[in-house]
Each structure stands twice: as structure tokens, then as C-alpha cells.
Amino acid sequence: AFSSAPITATLFPGDGIGPEIAESVKQIFREAEVPIEWEEHYVGTEIDPRTQSFLTWESLESVRRNRVGLKGPMATPIGKGHRSLNLTLRKELNLYANVRPCYSLPGYKTRYDDVNLVTIRENTEGEYSGLEHQVVRGVVESLKIITRQASLRVAEYAFHYAKAHGRERVSAIHKANIMQKTDGLFLKCCREVAEKYPEITYEEVVIDNCCMMLVKNPALFDVLVMPNLYGDIISDLCAGLIGGLGLTPSCNIGEGGIALAEAVHGSAPDIAGKNLANPTALLLSGVSMLRHLELHDKADRIQKAVLETIAEGKYRTADLGGSSTTSDFTRAICDHL
Amino acid sequence: AFSSAPITATLFPGDGIGPEIAESVKQIFREAEVPIEWEEHYVGTEIDPRTQSFLTWESLESVRRNRVGLKGPMATPIGKGHRSLNLTLRKELNLYANVRPCYSLPGYKTRYDDVNLVTIRENTEGEYSGLEHQVVRGVVESLKIITRQASLRVAEYAFHYAKAHGRERVSAIHKANIMQKTDGLFLKCCREVAEKYPEITYEEVVIDNCCMMLVKNPALFDVLVMPNLYGDIISDLCAGLIGGLGLTPSCNIGEGGIALAEAVHGSAPDIAGKNLANPTALLLSGVSMLRHLELHDKADRIQKAVLETIAEGKYRTADLGGSSTTSDFTRAICDHL
Ligand SMILES: CC(C)[C@H](C(=O)O)[C@@H](O)C(=O)O
Ligand SMILES: CC(C)[C@H](C(=O)O)[C@@H](O)C(=O)O
């Protein structure tokens, strides 16, 4: 049951295939009678003629006001000195946790059929500090920054998420045998939070061993929480286990309850505008957004229709080995609703 | 053909199962009439009573003199402030490249049957600088150091290796989209060296994407070269693809042509002394050492016997799902020589 007043959510269709897959999401959400009104803004590599900027104030303000949004792929503007728009959004909106549920899709065969885990990545610091310099000619250094505040915050989120989703174990991924101070602080914070959740099993796994175990037996893992770069690496590795970034949802959590869900794959300029793109990652990200809004009925219904359509195998886009158009695939999902 | 004077090589059996698997290597090398005389030294977690040190001067001197050695697993001494002995050896002997051939073993089934790649890891700097400090309470930083000298050196080794082993492609793994200066310098050095090897295809792959592609399709890769931490992560990931660290050889290359081959798995104290350990990783590391010495006939013969014994499946140790003892497995390999 939900209130009858619709919720306003920001939508950034993004670049390349973004507009097409966003169209597919809008159509399916409409068909499922999701009580959401989209507030659409363009953020991408084309410069706003009024402001000469890639990212307008209104776009950011829209997410801040609505507290919930969905974004398609954004290319990084070409040329020196441009920062990735994804990183800019993370920074501007203080999106401190990136959450990626990753599960084997029934009927879509990969080498693994037993993946069911969630990666939770610290999204604001670590190796992404941007602090780098040349010490002398031929010697450069980068700073990795770990803070107690950001580590506690993401650890809190991970345990909260595990509990809310009925998950049993949280694994903190680290390399504290080498980076005793930075990763050591991260682990210390995880341990502190773990003590408040005695019902959740807590363990610590060194990143190299974690990657080996993930490819040998991903069923060993449940919720993984980790510093920024390890999260970048491991979340993509996990996506690979179940078929790639075209199939995995992602949601960024910010201070004050902001949730910006996103498809993390690229903007695929080669197939843009050709009605060939696979909207699955954006759709399942939309589902993550609905869960964040506690619209679980709608989330379940859409997720089920997407998974059934893929499992049935009659309509699949080219990246999944089929030959359907985006609109045929979208219509098939609507039929499964 | 080799000269009749035997080559002296250092042997560090190491801790835990180390002595047993070293015994197995010695037996098989003897049986194969490998012209090597072992100079054995203990390096491990037991303190040398004369020097109160974990690592004697004689042990290091032995490798420096012989320029070639084989090491078993060494546990890290317990207690604060002890550095891993592996790291100490890398540092003291300036072992700048860690080389790990990784290929699917015929007859030993994993989810992958098409792995045939080599990871080459920079082994001396990067995230392993040991430089870390607290900036203020709750804020810590680690330094990642990349130098032109070490990057060129490992890139040179990687291309040299690729050429010498008839490999066609070198992929440099990086995160230069985030660490533009450090990983950027690493890439710049790889590009410089690549120009000298026009016959080898050179490409650059971002680490997150690399890990995704490795689990989806490892056959895409041939030789991978990368900074220290990425090498740590990716080499273990690759080992996982083919069955784990118990099956993968490793060899460290140092200045002046030093080669210290090693089993990178743990010392498995739980099964130590029980005649249950799998000597495969140490044996194949020994094979890497023989190749470094250009004793290719012996290397081929031993490698073939090991692989045939595993493929046959009659004698396998418990970690490979069998119930053979170390000595039965060793004898079976001797029979295949
Ligand atoms: C595009 C890149 C800057 C980004 C990152 O490294 O975080 C991407 O890999 C991701 O995971 O969103
Ligand atoms: C034990 C540890 C310090 C070491 C490393 O991180 O290099 C290990 O993982 C390795 O790969 O040899």
C-alpha cells in the first residue's frame, strides 16, 4: 500500500543509449502503475549553452529536493582536466555508499549459477582522493585517505542493509596486512559497528584472497563492504560472474537519505539511437530505487517481469545473444507484468 | 644439452608443509637427473638462536651467490611489528618482478578450461611503500609511490618475457582514469618499452574492467603487466580460475639475473607433517626456475609428468579431491618421468 500522491524522482537519461533505456524504464514503470513522476534533466557530455557547464545547478538541486533519482550512463567529457561526471555527482551529492546487488539470473547461463551477494563500496575517499604529485622527476605519489567518519558511515550502512534485507554475513575486504594504518582504520570501524549487530556474522577477508574465492566459489559471500578502489574492482568482478554490467543494478546512497540509482555500464555510442540497447541494468536500478522508497510490491512485480522475460529467452537484446530491439524487449516485459 | 658441472641453487623449505613439499621436489629433480645441487637454508618463523633473527645473513648471501633459488611457504612471525618474510626477501634481494604463469590443467576441472596467461607484477613499490601516517585523529593516509625506474624495469621484463616465450600481447593494467599521475607514469613507461617491440601487441586495460573480462573470458589475455597491488589481486584471481594457489607456480626476478621461485600458498600448519600436502605449486615453481636456467628439457619433462599425473587422476592429494599422500603423489610423478 502506498499513498496516492505520486513521488517525484529525478531522471538523468544521460548520453548515448541513455535516452532509449530511460524510455524503456518510463514505459514499464507506467505500465506497472508505479506512483512516480519523473523530473527529467540532461546531464552528460554536451555543454549547457547557458552556463557552459556539463552539470547544471538545477540538476543537482533536483536530486537534493526529490532525494531520489535514476541515472543512465554518462560519458566522460573528452579533453584534459575534465573530471568524470559520475565522480562529480558522487562528490557534489555526497553519495557515500555504492550498493550493487549481484545475483545469477535464472535462465541466463554463465559459468556461475549460485551468485547472490551485495557489494557495498565506500564511494568518497580512499584512492579516489585526487591527491597526487611528482616528488622529483620520475617519482610520483598518490595519497589514499581513510577517515574514521566515512568508514563508520559505510560500515553502518552495510550492517543496516544486511539486517533490513535478511542477510546473514558481512565481509569487510581489505589489505591491512600491507596498509596497516589506512585499511587498519577501515577494519577497526567495521568491527565497532559489527558489535552492534550480534545477529550478523562478521568476517574480514584480504582482497587478493577474496578475489580468488569469488571466482572459485562466490556462494561463500553475502554482503561485502570495502574501501573505494577495492569496491570498484570487486563490484565489476562480481558483475562479470553473472554476465556483465548490462545486467547489474547499482544504487548510490547519500547523506540525508538520498538515493541515486544508476546503470553503471557505458553509454555505448556505437549502438546509440538504433533501438538495440539492453535496458536491464537501468530497469533493475529503478527497482533498487523503488526498494529504497519501500515500494516493494512494485519492485517485486517489475523485477519478476524482467527476470521472467530474460529467462524465457524469446526476447533478448544482442548483448545477451538475442536479436530483439529495445522496444520489443520492453514490450515483452510489459506483457509479463 | 647442459654442462656436466652441477648448478648450485638455494632452497628455503620454509614453514609448515614446506619441508615435505621441498622433499618431494628434491626427489623428483633427482629422479629426472636435474643437474642441480641444493644449498638448503632455513628461513621461517623460528628465530635463529645465534642471531635472534628470522632471516640469516647466510640465507640471503646464498641466493645472491647462486643467483637462483626455490622457496616454500613462510608464515609471518606473529606479534606486532614483524614484517612478512616474503616482503623482506623481496626487498633485500630487490626482487622487482613477480611472474606467474597460469594455465588450465588438463583433466583438472574448474569452471574454466581456456586459461593460458602470465601475470607480471611490479614487486617493490606502489601501494607497498610502507609509508603511512595519521594526519589528524581519525584521518590516515598511505602513499603509493610509482617511479620511472621501477616501471621501466618491470615493463622491460614483461616484453622481454613475452618475446622469449612466443607470446603475442602485453596488457598493461591500471587505474589511470583515477590515479592519473602514478598509474599514468606506469603506463607511459609501458608505452615507451612497447615501441621497442613492434611485434608484440600492446594494450591498456583498466583494472575493474580487466577483472570483469578475466572472469567472463580469460582467453582474451596473454601477458599482463601491472603495479604491485593490482598484481597481487589479479594474480590470485587468475589462480582461482584454474583451481587455486596450490597449483600455480611463481618466480621472482631480481637485479643481476637473480631468480627466486616460490610456492605462494600458505604453510598450512593444520596438515603439516602429516604427508597430506600437495607439492604441485612448488614443483611447477621449480620448473619455472629450470626455465630461467634454460634447462628446458628437464623443465618440460618434469612439467609433463606433473600434469599427466594430475590429469590421470589416480593419485591426487586431498585439496584436489583425492586421497593420496604426498609421497604417493610424488612417486606417481616419478613414474611418469
Ligand atoms: C568511470 C570510473 C571513474 C568509475 C570509478 O572508477 O569509480 C567506474 O569504474 C565506476 O565504478 O563507477
Ligand atoms: C602475504 C602478503 C604480504 C603477500 C603480498 O601482499 O604481496 C601475498 O599476498 C603475495 O602475493 O605474495
Side-chain angles (χ1 to χ4, degrees), chain B residues 119-130:
Chain B
T119 58
I120 300 187
R121 163 186 181 184
E122 202 293 320
N123 223 2
T124 67
E125 56 177 32
E127 305 77 358
Y128 285 62
S129 71

Side-chain angles (χ1 to χ4, degrees), chain A residues 82 87 111-114 127-128 130 132-135 138-149 175 177-183 185 206-209 211-212 215-218 229-230 232-233 236-237 239-241 243-245, chain B residues 82 87 111-114 127-128 130 132-135 138-149 175 177-183 185 206-209 211-212 215-218 229-230 232-233 236-237 239-241 243-245:
Chain A
H82 288 311
L87 294 189
R111 291 168 150 113
Y112 300 84
D113 56 13
D114 50 358
E127 305 77 359
Y128 285 63
E132 290 188 293
H133 67 274
Q134 175 171 304
V135 183
V139 179
V140 288
E141 61 184 39
S142 303
L143 291 186
K144 165 172 170 171
I145 310 283
I146 297 286
T147 68
R148 181 169 161 78
Q149 190 238 340
K175 190 79 193 177
N177 48 342
I178 295 301
M179 283 163 279
Q180 297 179 1
K181 293 196 179 161
T182 47
D183 285 4
L185 175 57
V206 181
I207 180 160
D208 45 342
N209 188 34
C211 290
M212 184 168 68
V215 301
K216 283 184 76 169
N217 187 4
L229 181 66
Y230 309 154
D232 181 51
I233 295 170
D236 274 22
L237 187 167
L241 301 176
L245 295 181
Chain B
H82 288 312
L87 294 190
R111 290 171 153 110
Y112 300 84
D113 55 13
D114 50 357
E127 305 77 358
Y128 285 62
E132 291 189 291
H133 66 275
Q134 176 173 304
V135 184
V139 179
V140 288
E141 61 184 38
S142 303
L143 292 185
K144 165 171 169 172
I145 310 282
I146 297 286
T147 68
R148 180 169 161 78
Q149 189 238 341
K175 189 78 194 178
N177 48 343
I178 296 299
M179 282 163 280
Q180 298 179 3
K181 293 195 179 159
T182 46
D183 286 4
L185 175 58
V206 181
I207 181 162
D208 44 342
N209 189 33
C211 289
M212 184 168 69
V215 301
K216 283 185 77 169
N217 187 5
L229 182 66
Y230 309 154
D232 181 51
I233 295 170
D236 274 23
L237 188 166
L241 301 175
L245 296 180

Side-chain angles (χ1 to χ4, degrees), chain B:
Chain B
F2 46 84
S3 87
S4 52
I7 297 162
T8 308
T10 302
L11 179 63
F12 299 143
D15 291 312
I17 57 172
E20 295 157 77
I21 59 178
E23 202 44 63
S24 160
V25 172
K26 286 191 278 184
Q27 189 179 328
I28 290 161
F29 274 41
R30 220 183 297 122
E31 190 82 15
E33 296 175 354
V34 176
I36 279 189
E37 242 165 41
W38 297 107
E39 195 174 286
E40 212 166 311
H41 287 269
Y42 173 75
V43 176
T45 46
E46 273 160 52
I47 291 188
D48 183 300
R50 294 166 307 154
T51 58
Q52 292 297 312
S53 127
F54 292 105
L55 188 58
T56 58
W57 179 85
E58 288 92 336
S59 310
L60 289 173
E61 213 33 45
S62 168
V63 184
R64 290 202 183 101
R65 187 175 354 96
N66 298 327
R67 306 249 295 273
V68 66
L70 181 64
K71 73 177 269 291
M74 291 167 190
T76 294
I78 293 175
K80 272 235 149 172
H82 288 312
R83 204 164 171 212
S84 137
L85 287 165
N86 291 321
L87 294 190
T88 308
L89 283 171
R90 282 178 212 165
K91 193 166 176 108
E92 289 295 327
L93 298 170
N94 208 352
L95 301 172
Y96 66 82
N98 177 257
V99 183
R100 297 210 208 157
C102 186
Y103 46 87
S104 300
L105 299 189
Y108 182 68
K109 223 179 118 45
T110 70
R111 290 171 153 110
Y112 300 84
D113 55 13
D114 50 357
V115 182
N116 180 9
L117 54 83
V118 182
T119 58
I120 300 187
R121 163 186 181 184
E122 202 293 320
N123 223 2
T124 67
E125 56 177 32
E127 305 77 358
Y128 285 62
S129 71
L131 300 169
E132 291 189 291
H133 66 275
Q134 176 173 304
V135 184
V136 293
R137 241 178 101 95
V139 179
V140 288
E141 61 184 38
S142 303
L143 292 185
K144 165 171 169 172
I145 310 282
I146 297 286
T147 68
R148 180 169 161 78
Q149 189 238 341
S151 304
L152 280 177
R153 184 171 61 174
V154 75
E156 291 280 5
Y157 188 82
F159 278 92
H160 169 84
Y161 182 99
K163 188 168 179 180
H165 291 76
R167 297 207 169 243
E168 285 168 13
R169 176 200 300 259
V170 171
S171 312
I173 313 303
H174 68 97
K175 189 78 194 178
N177 48 343
I178 296 299
M179 282 163 280
Q180 298 179 3
K181 293 195 179 159
T182 46
D183 286 4
L185 175 58
F186 184 81
L187 288 184
K188 188 164 173 289
C189 293
C190 290
R191 276 176 216 151
E192 274 180 48
V193 177
E195 295 216 333
K196 298 196 283 175
Y197 291 84
E199 69 279 29
I200 310 256
T201 307
Y202 171 68
E203 64 170 5
E204 296 169 356
V205 186
V206 181
I207 181 162
D208 44 342
N209 189 33
C210 175
C211 289
M212 184 168 69
M213 285 164 51
L214 276 169
V215 301
K216 283 185 77 169
N217 187 5
L220 292 172
F221 292 97
D222 194 348
V223 175
L224 298 89
V225 64
M226 53 224 144
N228 212 340
L229 182 66
Y230 309 154
D232 181 51
I233 295 170
I234 288 187
S235 55
D236 274 23
L237 188 166
C238 292
L241 301 175
I242 65 128
L245 296 180
L247 297 171
T248 47
S250 167
C251 189
N252 296 289
I253 303 297
E255 294 282 12
I258 281 184
L260 182 61
E262 62 174 347
V264 287
H265 55 66
S267 59
D270 50 319
I271 59 162
K274 296 190 178 149
N275 199 17
L276 294 172
N278 179 0
T280 301
L282 194 64
L283 271 163
L284 295 179
S285 299
V287 167
S288 284
M289 192 190 86
L290 295 180
R291 297 208 184 281
H292 184 84
L293 292 168
E294 310 224 329
L295 295 173
H296 292 293
D297 290 354
K298 299 294 180 191
D300 288 343
R301 199 168 152 213
I302 295 172
Q303 180 169 356
K304 196 160 161 276
V306 174
L307 298 188
E308 277 175 8
T309 305
I310 293 174
E312 204 183 64
K314 207 168 145 210
Y315 295 96
R316 281 185 185 171
T317 46
D319 58 312
L320 301 185
S323 60
S324 292
T325 60
T326 310
S327 24
D328 286 346
F329 181 65
T330 303
R331 207 168 310 116
I333 295 170
C334 288
D335 292 344
H336 275 92
L337 277 172

Side-chain angles (χ1 to χ4, degrees), chain A residues 26-34 301 333-335 337:
Chain A
K26 286 192 277 185
Q27 189 179 329
I28 290 161
F29 273 41
R30 219 183 298 123
E31 190 81 14
E33 296 176 352
V34 176
R301 199 168 153 213
I333 294 171
C334 289
D335 292 344
L337 277 171

Side-chain angles (χ1 to χ4, degrees), chain A residues 116-134:
Chain A
N116 180 11
L117 53 82
V118 182
T119 59
I120 300 187
R121 162 185 182 186
E122 203 292 321
N123 223 1
T124 67
E125 56 177 32
E127 305 77 359
Y128 285 63
S129 71
L131 299 169
E132 290 188 293
H133 67 274
Q134 175 171 304

